[in-house]
Amino acid sequence: MGMTHRHLRLAIAISLPIALAMPVSAQPEPAIIADVAGQIDAAEARLDTVESASSRPGADDAALTANVAALAGPDQALDAAVAILTPRLAAIDARLAELGPVAPKPGQPPETVEIATERTKLLGDRVAVATELKQANLIIVELDQTVASLEQKRRELFARNLWTQSRSVISPDLWRDVAAALPADFRRLSLPAAAEVRRARAASARVGIVIGWLLTIAAAAVIVVLGRRILIGLGRRRASRATLRLGWSLLALWRVAVVVLTALIAAWLTRTILVATDALTPAFAQMATVVIAAVTFAALVDGLGQALLSVDDPSARIVPVGDALAGRLRWFPAILGIAVALAGIAGGIHRIFGTSLASSVASDSLGVCLELAVIVIGLTAAGRDREQALDVTTAPSGAKLPWILAALATWLGLAAAGLAVVLGYLALANFITREIVWIGVVLASLFILVRCADDVLPALFQPGSRLGRAVIVAVGVSSATLEQTGIILSGLARVALLLIGWTLVVAPFGAGASNIFGRITSDDLVIHLGTTSISPGTILGGVVIFAVGLLITRGIRGWLEARYLPATAIDIGVRTSLVSGVTYLGAVLAVVFASIFLGVSLDRIALFASALSIGIGFGLQSIISNFVSGLILLVERPVKVGDWIAIGDLEGDVRKVNIRATEIEMKDQSRLIVPNLDLITKTVRNVTHAGALGRVRIVIRVNDDADPIALRALILGLLTAHAEVLTDPAPAVYLTDAKDGGLEFTCFAFVTTARDVYSIRSDLLFAIVPALRTNGFALASSSTIVNLGVDGRLIEPAPARA
């Protein structure tokens, strides 16, 4: 009752004074105080009754739950009393402060009789109001303590029943007792059945009632068969008109709702007509309620299976499974739902009609075994062709890991439940089996709801949608901001759904969750090493908290990378820095929370860090230096993801800034791993930093008989004619040298990015060289030519060597 109890009290405290302001002000003050005092006395009497009933030995969970529910009325009455009395006491104190708390002393100016009379009345009212308010607060404290005590009793009862050992399902004594108790159980069931037959015959004496039964049964059949088919067909046609992903998400949700609601309406109509015609005895009326609950849950399991597998329409399948696996699991959800429903109906029969303990134990054991068998068959079918189980065309990278972990956890749970059945811990086995089924139902529902939240909310806040246009007109936000709003809302909806899902997952644990896990952390399993106590359960809890923290961090990181950051105008480098920062922060928080759970205080962590710093100083200097350098790179961002950098003779694109090193992709697609310290301490040329332009430099050397003005105009025209060359800054041609029989021209052109310099330079050379030849410009040789002339002498060849 914890959270609900507090929220209800807060709501009453806020709303009740406003709702009762007019009636209360119309009543005299003594009458108001008397009414409130009567409510407080009635609440106290009710609390005493509940405490007396709860103190009796042998109270079961239903009785304790009823006692907790019975305290809701007194709790509301007390909250109402406090909400009425508190402002009145404050008003009385304020008025007394104006009048003065006591009469004037001798020598002070006297006061009028009216003031003295009013003070006396106010003092009397204050005593009455303060007394009732104090009593109400004391009873509230006692009521909270009583509720806590009842919840503690429920936890103890739950744990005691859960760990109670009965007879094993393979014990021959159990089945001998079942055979011996079979005649008595038959009589217990036959008597209510005969009474029900007589009641039904009496009700069917009128032809109109029988016709009503037949029409209701026919209507129920039409709703379940024909109505379900028509509604799902309508949903499929509507989904085909919407965006592909959005339509299939809504179709999955629509399919689950149709399957569940049609089954619920059909079962409810049948029970309603039978109760209305007085055809059910009280026992069978209760049994009908149990059947409705079982049928509805079975329909939920079947509907989730149909929505996720979508065997009849593979294009609408929202889970990354192949057609072969979906076909093998086609009937698994329906069979599992039927098995759970049969086990629940059998339990209801034993509970309502009071069969023998041996029959109840045997029936529950068979029900658990049936559920385990169905789940094992389903997991075995899903495990065939494991490599082809997931549809690789639709499954993203790493999509297999959650399914593998879920299958492993399920197998461990099934093994524990089977062992518990064999050892005779029937309640534990039943609890584990039902929890496996329930967690599967919750996770399947969460998958569909989260998928819908991710698709529906961003679609609603698209600039082209009706809501998006209305928001733009009314608020004046930009289209980008509107899209980001939809993505943020989908993220918040996902968080809310996950919290609700976690609450539903732990709900079947009831009040006994702490006692279940307390078995793991009990003193029997604590290892004492000197003054240090090591509890396996505590260590396991710390590991689980750390793992959950990393999973949450991974989920947030994935949402930022895939959903939110791509919708912003932030460049890729800043996105990478933000994502890396979230990863580091999540890892640190996971360590902190795990340490808190383990009982490791901050001073111990500081002591450990100081001791570890000695080893760091000698052996881990380079690692720590690279780690700190990585943080500097993420904060200052001199080099970020997407930059083209040059380190010495090596050039490449920065692909990832890790904790220790940075990955640079070379032109041949190879990866260069550079320690972060080198990027901080050495000279690095960032070619694309701050959106730098690319500069194309071409040096041309022609013979000295060329016309430099004409050559300049020719080259400048070719540079300007290229589509990728910018006009601002404009290209330029300079005569930079004239010697050795040649003229040297240096040409500059600018392009939008340095990545295009080599290709554009090549394009320009392919254009310039033929143009020079066509226009009579000869390229000069790079070698110096020296002409020697010797008068009157012949240059004889050197003699050949031997």
Side-chain angles (χ1 to χ4, degrees), residues 179-305:
L182 191 59
D185 290 336
F186 181 77
R187 286 193 299 271
R188 291 190 183 96
L189 295 177
S190 61
L191 292 176
E196 174 59 31
V197 171
R198 290 193 297 271
R199 177 72 68 91
R201 285 179 178 176
S204 62
R206 298 174 58 184
V207 179
I209 292 179
V210 176
I211 294 175
W213 291 352
L214 296 177
L215 291 177
T216 303
I217 295 174
V222 169
I223 291 174
V224 171
V225 180
L226 186 59
R228 178 181 297 181
R229 183 177 302 176
I230 292 175
L231 291 175
I232 292 177
L234 289 175
R236 185 179 290 110
R237 284 193 293 272
R238 291 295 300 270
S240 61
R241 302 174 188 171
T243 307
L244 186 61
R245 179 183 170 96
L246 175 62
W248 298 148
S249 300
L250 294 177
L251 177 61
L253 185 61
W254 174 253
R255 191 192 292 262
V256 175
V258 168
V259 173
V260 174
L261 290 179
T262 51
L264 176 61
I265 293 173
W268 178 81
L269 280 177
T270 304
R271 182 187 182 278
T272 300
I273 191 64
L274 293 176
V275 172
T277 56
D278 198 22
L280 294 178
T281 61
F284 274 85
Q286 297 179 30
M287 196 63 222
T289 303
V290 173
V291 171
I292 290 177
V295 168
T296 303
F297 187 80
L300 176 60
V301 176
D302 184 31
L304 290 171

Side-chain angles (χ1 to χ4, degrees), residues 364-425:
D364 291 343
S365 300
L366 292 178
V368 171
C369 292
L370 176 61
E371 294 172 5
L372 291 177
V374 173
I375 298 175
V376 167
I377 293 173
L379 288 179
T380 304
R384 298 177 192 170
D385 301 328
R386 188 167 301 171
E387 295 299 326
Q388 287 77 28
L390 291 178
D391 187 358
V392 296
T393 62
T394 59
S397 177
K400 290 185 178 181
L401 181 60
W403 302 91
I404 294 174
L405 293 178
L408 178 61
T410 305
W411 278 115
L412 292 176
L414 293 175
L419 183 62
V421 171
V422 173
L423 295 179
Y425 291 94

Side-chain angles (χ1 to χ4, degrees), residues 486-519:
I487 296 174
I488 292 175
L489 290 178
S490 69
L492 294 176
R494 172 181 289 214
V495 172
L497 289 173
L498 292 178
L499 291 176
I500 294 173
W502 171 252
T503 303
L504 293 176
V505 165
V506 301
F509 286 91
S514 61
N515 295 79
I516 295 174
F517 302 122
R519 291 275 177 162

Side-chain angles (χ1 to χ4, degrees), residues 549-572:
L550 293 184
L551 288 176
I552 294 175
T553 302
R554 181 180 178 182
I556 295 175
R557 173 175 179 163
W559 180 78
L560 287 173
E561 286 181 324
R563 300 283 297 174
Y564 180 69
L565 292 179
T568 64
I570 303 176
D571 63 83
I572 184 65

